[in-house]
Amino acid sequence: MATTRVLRRALPLTGAALLAFSGTASAAGDGDGKSDAPSEAGTSFRTATAIRQDQKATAEASTGDYLYWAFPVDTGQRATVHATVKLPEAAARHAASTWQVDVYDGLRRRQACRLGTPRKTVARDAASVSLSCSLRTVRAWSEQWANDPLPGTYYLRLTVTGLKADDLGLPVRAEVDVTATDAGGAQAVDGSLAEPLVPGAGSDDQRPAEVTEPEDGWSSGWWSSRWIWTGVGGVLAALAGVGGYALTRGSGRPAGVPQGR
């Protein structure tokens, strides 16, 4: 049936876009080159390491480094980034430190956190610090002047601020992942982008950047669950009309016309 075909097309995209950017903050990884477990982070937008949703990535770096990861978010999704940093030994540190995560969209516009703890100051003897940032729902379309999150590539940046110079360069281990939920048709808008906001093919000092779409492609933005409720509402309205007609037609005479002799 047509309804079945529409529902099949409306199934959420389960493939996540893998953005193959090369990282330069290297990490001690598995050594077998498995892309399923990224073990490095980039040091800029151009070298951001690609991760998928629900994929845990790690990186070993030095305190003071800027660490970057890139991940896809599609229309209708609410993404949350999580980051945990294992801090250097307390004996090697001299003061408290403040850690921060920032999220940028495909246009490198910083996105506000709807929920979470994107910035935290920890004591000198803290063993680790955990951060999170929940983004607003990604819209299919937006006015040019607005800062609404749009489908495409997003960047997670992890860094430390307010650090004493004596603590720079100490080894740290970072672990990040991205989760997402479907906001549903209540957040749907009319219109859609011609293309998702993903970086075009380019080149860095080492290797070119490539973009891989989800298995079923990016959502066009035309579909949302509100189409189902619109259809159901239309059917119910039609049934109500038929039922009302059946109840009011009586013996078949127009209402108000007396029966003739």
Side-chain angles (χ1 to χ4, degrees), residues 16-42 47-61 67-72 82 84 156 173-178 207:
L18 178 61
L19 308 170
F21 286 88
S22 302
T24 58
S26 62
D30 296 335
D32 56 5
K34 288 185 178 180
S35 59
D36 289 340
S39 57
E40 60 181 13
T47 61
T49 294
I51 59 175
R52 299 189 297 269
Q53 292 180 9
D54 300 315
Q55 181 182 50
K56 200 171 293 293
T58 60
E60 292 184 3
L67 306 180
Y68 288 79
W69 291 268
F71 58 94
H82 311 265
T84 299
L156 163 61
R173 178 178 175 83
E175 185 177 280
V176 301
D177 69 280
V178 180
R207 286 162 287 191

Side-chain angles (χ1 to χ4, degrees), residues 79-259:
T80 300
V81 301
H82 311 265
T84 299
V85 182
K86 183 178 180 181
L87 302 173
E89 295 293 333
R93 287 181 276 163
H94 298 81
S97 58
T98 301
W99 292 81
Q100 180 174 318
V101 290
D102 297 293
V103 182
Y104 300 84
D105 67 7
L107 298 177
R108 300 185 184 179
R109 302 176 302 180
R110 186 176 180 275
Q111 294 295 316
C113 298
R114 184 175 57 91
L115 296 170
T117 307
R119 181 183 176 92
K120 184 182 293 186
T121 299
V122 293
R124 169 185 171 182
D125 58 351
S128 64
V129 57
S130 295
L131 306 167
S132 65
C133 174
S134 294
L135 302 176
R136 295 171 295 163
T137 303
V138 171
R139 298 161 60 91
W141 180 84
S142 176
E143 296 286 353
Q144 292 184 0
W145 48 261
N147 193 37
D148 296 320
L150 296 169
T153 302
Y154 281 73
Y155 299 93
L156 163 61
R157 184 178 72 181
L158 172 65
T159 188
V160 63
T161 63
L163 189 69
K164 289 182 66 69
D166 292 341
D167 289 338
L168 290 173
L170 296 177
V172 294
R173 178 178 175 83
E175 185 177 280
V176 301
D177 69 280
V178 180
T179 59
T181 58
D182 188 356
Q187 299 293 325
V189 297
D190 294 329
S192 63
L193 297 180
E195 297 289 342
L197 301 179
V198 297
S203 62
D204 195 56
D205 294 338
Q206 296 179 351
R207 286 162 287 191
E210 299 175 354
V211 176
T212 303
E213 289 187 354
E215 183 179 349
D216 295 329
W218 291 94
S219 171
S220 64
W222 71 270
W223 166 262
S224 74
S225 59
R226 68 177 179 175
W227 287 99
I228 297 177
W229 296 110
T230 300
V232 171
V235 171
L236 292 177
L239 292 176
V242 172
Y245 174 75
L247 291 173
T248 57
R249 71 175 182 173
S251 60
R253 298 185 306 275
V257 178
Q259 182 177 2

